Amino acid sequence: MDSSPLPPQPDRRNFLTKASAVVIGAALALVAPVAGLMVFLDPLRRQTAAGGAVLVASLDSLAENGEPQKFSVLATRIDAWNTTPNVPVGAVYLQRLTGRQVRAFNVVCPHAGCFVDFREANNCFHCPCHNSSFSLDGKVLDPKSPSPRGLDDLLVEVRNGTEIWVHFKNFRAGEKARIPV
Ligand code: FES
């Protein structure tokens, strides 16, 4: 009596081959649309160097114990297609205190997002939109100011002796707490 197993039936072998081909074909067919979708959504994942430290100015451009000076913040924008240097992402006031001590404020008013001015005559920051005013250290100066918080200070590093690098961030306007955006 012959006990060897029977060879697979031709119909069953054909079915398995076709099923495998369908599964592999479907997987390959998904690759292109998924890749296309990722490219389409890529602008949402764009980054700028603004999240880290940005070189803003030279220490030599600020007088010791001088008035705050406004500087644009330029950063490198990176996406799937391009790396674009020197894209304006905001502006800061820098004030040099003694030695290499520098303080920085985002120029955006925390009330509703206007740019604040520095008023030499009053030695304070002033927002022209709704008259918020801020002292040199960024605190709300006038209790009637509608701004819910003081100016947003930013971390500063002086590198290589003279380079002023600012950890630039924007914050949500109209909130008492500083919420990065
Ligand atoms: S936006 Fe500055 S006071 Fe309103």
Side-chain angles (χ1 to χ4, degrees), residues 91-94 103-107 125 136-138 151-154:
V92 291
Y93 278 106
L94 297 181
R103 66 180 163 204
F105 294 108
N106 195 319
V107 300
F125 297 100
L136 279 181
D137 61 0
L151 291 178
D152 295 313
D153 59 335
L154 301 165

Side-chain angles (χ1 to χ4, degrees), residues 109-116 126-134 145-147:
C109 176
H111 177 227
C114 294
F115 279 18
V116 299
H126 176 260
C127 180
C129 291
H130 312 100
N131 289 321
S132 281
S133 57
F134 307 90
S145 289
S147 180

Side-chain angles (χ1 to χ4, degrees), residues 137-180:
D137 61 0
K139 294 196 174 80
V140 174
L141 203 54
D142 178 353
K144 291 187 192 141
S145 289
S147 180
R149 63 177 189 268
L151 291 178
D152 295 313
D153 59 335
L154 301 165
L155 183 63
V156 178
E157 290 174 50
V158 177
R159 298 181 185 172
N160 304 317
T162 57
E163 297 171 0
I164 302 173
W165 290 74
V166 177
H167 290 257
F168 184 76
K169 282 182 185 163
N170 286 306
F171 299 88
R172 196 180 295 169
E175 306 274 354
K176 192 156 183 58
R178 283 164 38 116
I179 302 169

Side-chain angles (χ1 to χ4, degrees), residues 1-141:
M1 186 172 143
D2 185 6
S3 63
S4 62
L6 290 171
Q9 298 301 306
D11 280 354
R12 189 169 165 232
R13 201 181 312 157
N14 280 344
F15 171 76
L16 288 175
T17 304
K18 284 178 185 169
S20 302
V22 167
V23 169
I24 291 168
L28 289 175
L30 279 176
V31 169
V34 168
L37 188 62
M38 296 211 26
V39 169
F40 177 73
L41 294 176
D42 192 74
L44 300 175
R45 296 185 290 125
R46 284 181 187 175
Q47 296 178 341
T48 65
V54 181
L55 175 60
V56 174
S58 163
L59 200 58
D60 303 333
S61 61
L62 296 170
E64 210 169 323
N65 295 312
E67 291 173 344
Q69 307 282 331
K70 190 152 97 176
F71 293 89
S72 296
V73 176
L74 306 175
T76 300
R77 189 183 292 279
I78 302 162
D79 62 33
W81 304 284
N82 300 302
T83 297
T84 313
N86 298 326
V87 177
V89 293
V92 291
Y93 278 106
L94 297 181
Q95 184 184 20
R96 185 173 175 184
L97 307 174
T98 48
R100 290 192 197 166
Q101 222 186 334
V102 176
R103 66 180 163 204
F105 294 108
N106 195 319
V107 300
V108 173
C109 176
H111 177 227
C114 294
F115 279 18
V116 299
D117 300 324
F118 175 68
R119 288 195 166 168
E120 287 178 44
N122 302 327
N123 207 28
C124 71
F125 297 100
H126 176 260
C127 180
C129 291
H130 312 100
N131 289 321
S132 281
S133 57
F134 307 90
S135 59
L136 279 181
D137 61 0
K139 294 196 174 80
V140 174
L141 203 54

